[in-house]
Amino acid sequence: EAQVTQNPRYLITVTGKKLTVTCSQNMNHEYMSWYRQDPGLGLRQIYYSMNVEVTDKGDVPEGYKVSRKEKRNFPLILESPSPNQTSLYFCASSPYLGSGTTYEQYFGPGTRLTVT
Amino acid sequence: ELKVEQNPLFLSMQEGKNYTIYCNYSTTSDRLYWYRQDPGKSLESLFVLLSNGAVKQEGRLMASLDTKARLSTLHITAAVHDLSATYFCAVEEEYGNKLVFGAGTILRVKS
């Protein structure tokens, strides 16, 4: 089954304790992206990757890191989480069509993160 | 900078009525997507609109795109309770590789 998976689905942690949220897709998509969803703000892009070893900042990258060492995986790293990073996080993937265009994105199930 | 505005942000509808959700965006783009999100769930793709004048229909939902006006509409015909969800439009930045979402419209259909 074609899907995007995220782990963990729920996480409660404390300020400053490094964490990683994993994302994996089995559709051979070139493009992958991380979003955070906060009430009234929709989804905001954190980082995206157009292919292996190619990553770029989205609209809200501060406090986050990513890496893309393999095509299927795109982990999100919070080196020193703070309470303002409490949010619902979604990973997504899509084919990359070239010339700066992608196609519809397929979303993972979400990771609800609480930082106390 | 691309900005995307949806309105209304909250819509309470009676079953059987028609209504329209609007999605305006601020810079040139000809790629727009509509997604649905049920409470506690992920986003599900509804429509992909890739050119000016594109119109797509699925059941009681119809989406259209006017790139000159920088406007997309999601029209709901004869609403039913199953349509209750949050609807997002998302616009792809031209040559920017980024997708910018609207704030979402919470739709509640009352019987």
Side-chain angles (χ1 to χ4, degrees), chain B residues 38-103:
Chain B
D38 292 303
K41 303 289 187 185
S42 186
L43 280 79
E44 171 193 353
S45 177
L46 290 175
F47 298 111
V48 179
L49 302 170
L50 300 179
S51 61
N52 186 40
V55 178
K56 296 277 184 75
Q57 182 159 7
E58 180 76 33
R60 300 174 188 275
L61 300 178
M62 184 173 72
S64 65
L65 177 61
D66 181 343
T67 58
K68 291 185 173 59
R70 298 177 185 166
L71 170 68
S72 179
T73 59
L74 181 65
H75 187 72
I76 302 151
T77 301
V80 293
H81 186 261
D82 284 354
L83 290 179
S84 295
T86 300
Y87 293 85
F88 291 96
C89 66
V91 180
E92 186 165 329
E93 202 175 67
E94 200 173 37
Y95 306 121
N97 306 312
K98 286 167 55 176
L99 199 61
V100 179
F101 281 76

Side-chain angles (χ1 to χ4, degrees), chain A residues 31 37 59 102 104-105 108, chain B residues 31 37 42 45 92 97-98:
Chain A
Y31 186 95
Q37 182 178 17
D59 292 320
T102 60
E104 64 179 314
Q105 297 193 15
Chain B
R31 305 175 77 83
Q37 185 181 37
S42 186
S45 177
E92 186 165 329
N97 306 312
K98 286 167 55 176

Side-chain angles (χ1 to χ4, degrees), chain A residues 1-2 4 7 11 20 34 36 38 51 54-55 93 109 115-116:
Chain A
E1 181 193 349
V4 179
N7 281 293
L11 180 59
T20 300
W34 276 102
R36 61 178 289 173
D38 301 290
N51 215 323
V54 181
T55 63
S93 74
V115 184
T116 61

Side-chain angles (χ1 to χ4, degrees), chain A residues 2-6 23-27 29 32 91-93 106-109:
Chain A
Q3 59 182 350
V4 179
T5 56
Q6 293 178 228
C23 172
S24 184
Q25 51 95 4
N26 63 2
M27 295 169 279
H29 286 165
M32 296 186 74
C91 179
S93 74
Y106 296 84
F107 284 80

